[in-house]
Amino acid sequence: MLTHYFELRAIPQLEITETEVINQVMQSLHQVLVNHQGNIAVSFPCYNVHRTLGGIIRIFGDETHLQLFKTALQAVVSDYTIALPTTPIPTSVKGYLRLIRVNPKGQSALRRAEKRLTVQGKWSTEVKNKMLEKWGSVHLNYPHIHFASKSTGRHFIMWLKQQKCATAVEGTFNSYGLSKTATVPDF
């Protein structure tokens, strides 16, 4: 249950932008979150300011898990961020937020579908338009994070879509602090 939170604020750097700092911090956060998966959530209070996630990461959980998480995290991100004290979530909130990872289908997926359906004799402009409608735009405009996978070494972009919700929904969070169903308070 989410009862407390703390914020990590990006320290302005001369050499790297605020967005790059947040990318580095989220990479480190993910590595620590693997051990706290399910109990810790993240949000970005400055979401979509200048089409970025902003320079603040708000981290939610219960007080015990947050203290353990904060201790493990401090050694990794202390050069890039200022960690504010852990405090209870305010009783009065504006609403609730859900942060969802959006996995776009790219041009290569469209080309593979076209090739497969052409062989089957089912490809048409109408089918193509329905696929684009279902998948959404192949060019996303959501704020995003650049990650480098430690297991494969590949680089990828994680697009994040924020949804406003009227009521709180309990649930678990993945190793990025996100959930398709659970919400975090918005204040």
Side-chain angles (χ1 to χ4, degrees):
M1 184 172 177
L2 307 177
T3 59
H4 288 70
Y5 78 99
F6 72 91
E7 290 181 352
L8 292 174
R9 296 192 177 191
I11 298 172
Q13 306 284 323
L14 291 175
E15 312 84 39
I16 58 176
T17 67
E18 183 178 77
T19 300
E20 291 170 323
V21 170
I22 293 299
N23 285 337
Q24 290 293 327
V25 171
M26 281 301 295
Q27 181 79 43
S28 301
L29 192 90
H30 166 62
Q31 292 168 358
V32 177
L33 267 173
V34 169
N35 298 325
H36 297 273
Q37 191 169 335
N39 302 315
I40 305 291
V42 301
S43 76
F44 300 91
C46 300
Y47 178 87
N48 215 15
V49 173
H50 307 294
R51 294 187 184 204
T52 70
L53 295 170
I56 302 171
I57 302 172
R58 194 172 282 163
I59 302 170
F60 296 91
D62 66 44
E63 191 172 15
T64 306
H65 281 106
L66 278 182
Q67 292 298 35
L68 292 170
F69 180 72
K70 194 174 187 181
T71 303
L73 189 64
Q74 273 306 105
V76 184
V77 300
S78 61
D79 291 343
Y80 300 105
T81 63
I82 297 170
L84 298 183
T86 302
T87 57
I89 293 171
T91 53
S92 175
V93 296
K94 293 188 275 187
Y96 298 90
L97 301 172
R98 182 178 297 125
L99 202 59
I100 300 169
R101 179 179 182 179
V102 178
N103 291 318
K105 297 285 186 177
Q107 291 293 330
S108 59
L110 189 60
R111 284 191 300 272
R112 285 191 305 274
E114 179 180 4
K115 185 177 179 181
R116 183 179 65 253
L117 293 173
T118 300
V119 169
Q120 297 173 3
K122 298 178 182 177
W123 184 254
S124 69
T125 305
E126 183 182 329
V127 170
K128 179 181 179 178
N129 291 337
K130 284 185 180 180
M131 285 183 156
L132 286 173
E133 183 181 312
K134 177 184 175 187
W135 291 346
S137 172
V138 231
H139 305 289
L140 295 179
N141 228 3
Y142 298 116
H144 57 279
I145 302 168
H146 291 263
F147 277 102
S149 172
K150 292 291 183 184
S151 57
T152 65
R154 300 186 85 186
H155 294 268
F156 64 96
I157 296 174
M158 182 182 295
W159 302 93
L160 299 175
K161 178 181 178 183
Q162 183 174 277
Q163 292 179 331
K164 293 185 184 282
C165 302
T167 58
V169 177
E170 295 273 330
T172 59
F173 299 89
N174 65 18
S175 62
Y176 296 101
L178 311 174
S179 176
K180 290 182 180 179
T181 56
T183 60
V184 296
D186 180 22
F187 50 92

